[in-house]
Amino acid sequence: MAPARPVLRPGDWVHFDGGEHQVVGLAGATVRLRSAAGAEQVVLAGHLMSAPGFAVVDAGPAPTVDPFGLLDALPTDALADAKRWEQHVVEVETGLMPGAAAARPGYDPASTTVNERDAVKAAELGVSIRTVQGRRARYAAQGLWGLVDQRAARAYQGTGRADARLVEVLREVIAEQTDASTGTRSRLIHRAVKRVEELHGVGVVPLPGRTAFYALVERLTAGRHTFGSAVTRRQTANRPAGAFTPTFAARPGEQVQIDSTPIDVMVLLDDGLPVRADMTIAVDVATRTVCAAVLRPVGTKAVDAALLLAKMLVPEPMRPGWANALRLSASRLPHARLLDVDARMREAAARPVIVPDTVVIDHGRVFVSETFDRACNRLGISVQPARKDTPTDKGIVEATHKSIKTLFAQHVAGYTGGNPTLRGRDVAAAWTIGELQDLLDEWLIVGWQHRPHDALRDPHQPRRMLTPNEKYAALVAAAGYLPLTLASDDYLELLPVEWRQINDYGIRIDNRTYDCAALGPWRRQHSGVIARRGLWEVHYDPYDVSQVFIRTPDGWVTVPWTHLPMISAPFADFTWRHARRLTAERGRDAGHESEVARVLDELLTLAEHGPDRASAKAVARTRAVGSAPGRPAPPEQRPTPVVDERPDAEVIPFGVFDADAEAERWI
């Protein structure tokens, strides 16, 4: 049987629109049809051939292509046997064996018919004529696949010969293990047997042997983590049933995902108590930039989420000791263009400022709060809650949490591991929450923003991975994105609020006193806010306790901490020399990837070994000097300490403070 002709020509009759039509003309992609009644119509060729019931009259079935994937999955012997039959069928059809130059006796089409060649082939192979004819028919309809022994292509069920009633019960028992504590296979088999006997009676349902039973359980529990981690088992069972659709964004800020999770590092509180810290991060989907990250001890408060938005919308300032390679001007970000918009970009670090259009959050108490909603409404940001118990709705920020733990947290002193089974012996906290926040901020710039990301591949060069900063620069040029950062007043509005009285000594928050001369007109005065009993509105940054901001009728007043000079000014020469030595060590050339890599290596090494002991001693001695009572002498009149530059040298202390002698100097 000759294959069907896969060509439509004028004069052919076709089945279309419930009747037969003759093709009377072809013009480009259009076909002119004439029905048996003489009515004509013009249709598109694609519409005609895809219409239900379309077929060419008396043309036979349309040709099909061999299922090459199924052929590759066949056993070698079965495929070889099918190819041998193909040679015999071709010889019967054409008279020539594939590759032969002349027909063999009995197969010459000039002197034999197809039926005669069928008989010769049947005698040659020792089969019936009907077998040869059947193989020819299947080959004409299905190609090589029609000659395959279907027993070799048969699909077997994973449960084998196990009774269907037992399999049904096993599936039910396995499903019940999702929220149960992890047990063994023997426990599951015991429960399944008991339930089968309760439902159908003892001995009614045949049970497989011990080895076969374990093999059956293994096949039914594949990929479900029934006997593994309970957390992984619940997460696997909670996956959506539909197809996974990746989150896509075409410009910076189109979608930002926010989430909180404990970071696997022990930190020290102000009172020396070691605790875990919560990490709240915001990740831009388009560039994979970590827009901001906030650490808080134990439970993150609602104000932290609003503060996170505020930190996202202002430039990240360079800090003392950071390498020049971390500057915005040394990166591939559009520094000159951003500097024209905001002068603060001159001293900014290489972290993009991204204004989100939409933020995706979960249903945690951090985000489902009036504080966060008011902050988003003020900034014109749409809030899109994820579905409950569906972490895949914000899978990018979930994956970023894991990456931060792998790339940063495990290198930090005090790392605890993800669970108690991964925890080392005598894990001690080395960093305070503020110190760890500084390390994290620096690592996000040098270790994350400059690191190639697998999800940021160039579509024209798929083997090349872009960094978040490179992706941001590319999208800024393509999408015309220009962020408008927060003004100082807007930033203050998003900070947490405390209500305090302005006393003679100033304002006190968390045992810290803030005071300045600008508070003079407002001391012991009523603020005019009746609902707050005349207290004054004080905004503060939990991550910068050096100052607070008070709203007055004349505007905002910045009030410094009264003890700020004692901890920020270099009172002693040894502290100043130590700081200069550290600065000189970091004064390398910047602006290339090798410098960034060296800075990252130094940062991780520092985080691994804990705080610098030499620096800690210098700071401690500085605080000891600063805590002395009385007003400090002018710099030229201060006693010079005797300091040996060797790290193990004994330090000769200052003399005892004499209040009368000090008073004589100032009178």
PDB file of all heavy atoms in Angstrom, residues 378 464 602 665:
ATOM      1  N   ARG A 378       1.515  55.228  51.543  1.00  0.00           N
ATOM      2  CA  ARG A 378       2.204  56.515  51.440  1.00  0.00           C
ATOM      3  C   ARG A 378       3.129  56.542  50.224  1.00  0.00           C
ATOM      4  O   ARG A 378       3.262  57.569  49.545  1.00  0.00           O
ATOM      5  CB  ARG A 378       2.996  56.770  52.719  1.00  0.00           C
ATOM      6  CG  ARG A 378       3.892  57.980  52.682  1.00  0.00           C
ATOM      7  CD  ARG A 378       3.086  59.278  52.627  1.00  0.00           C
ATOM      8  NE  ARG A 378       3.947  60.432  52.493  1.00  0.00           N
ATOM      9  CZ  ARG A 378       4.444  61.112  53.518  1.00  0.00           C
ATOM     10  NH1 ARG A 378       4.172  60.732  54.751  1.00  0.00           N
ATOM     11  NH2 ARG A 378       5.205  62.155  53.320  1.00  0.00           N
ATOM     12  N   ARG A 464      26.543  33.086  29.498  1.00  0.00           N
ATOM     13  CA  ARG A 464      27.059  34.158  30.340  1.00  0.00           C
ATOM     14  C   ARG A 464      26.037  34.529  31.406  1.00  0.00           C
ATOM     15  O   ARG A 464      24.878  34.793  31.098  1.00  0.00           O
ATOM     16  CB  ARG A 464      27.399  35.388  29.499  1.00  0.00           C
ATOM     17  CG  ARG A 464      27.974  36.529  30.341  1.00  0.00           C
ATOM     18  CD  ARG A 464      28.036  37.818  29.567  1.00  0.00           C
ATOM     19  NE  ARG A 464      28.501  38.911  30.401  1.00  0.00           N
ATOM     20  CZ  ARG A 464      28.408  40.189  30.089  1.00  0.00           C
ATOM     21  NH1 ARG A 464      27.863  40.536  28.936  1.00  0.00           N
ATOM     22  NH2 ARG A 464      28.848  41.128  30.914  1.00  0.00           N
ATOM     23  N   GLU A 602      38.401  38.705  52.505  1.00  0.00           N
ATOM     24  CA  GLU A 602      38.725  39.291  53.803  1.00  0.00           C
ATOM     25  C   GLU A 602      37.495  39.386  54.695  1.00  0.00           C
ATOM     26  O   GLU A 602      37.560  39.140  55.907  1.00  0.00           O
ATOM     27  CB  GLU A 602      39.339  40.676  53.599  1.00  0.00           C
ATOM     28  CG  GLU A 602      40.704  40.664  52.934  1.00  0.00           C
ATOM     29  CD  GLU A 602      41.210  42.060  52.670  1.00  0.00           C
ATOM     30  OE1 GLU A 602      40.481  43.019  53.023  1.00  0.00           O
ATOM     31  OE2 GLU A 602      42.310  42.201  52.115  1.00  0.00           O
ATOM     32  N   ARG A 665      42.807  74.315  85.444  1.00  0.00           N
ATOM     33  CA  ARG A 665      43.120  74.558  84.036  1.00  0.00           C
ATOM     34  C   ARG A 665      42.031  75.369  83.337  1.00  0.00           C
ATOM     35  O   ARG A 665      42.279  76.043  82.343  1.00  0.00           O
ATOM     36  CB  ARG A 665      43.301  73.236  83.292  1.00  0.00           C
ATOM     37  CG  ARG A 665      44.473  72.415  83.799  1.00  0.00           C
ATOM     38  CD  ARG A 665      44.528  71.079  83.065  1.00  0.00           C
ATOM     39  NE  ARG A 665      45.650  70.266  83.515  1.00  0.00           N
ATOM     40  CZ  ARG A 665      45.895  69.033  83.091  1.00  0.00           C
ATOM     41  NH1 ARG A 665      45.081  68.480  82.218  1.00  0.00           N
ATOM     42  NH2 ARG A 665      46.938  68.362  83.542  1.00  0.00           N
TER      43      ARG A 665
END
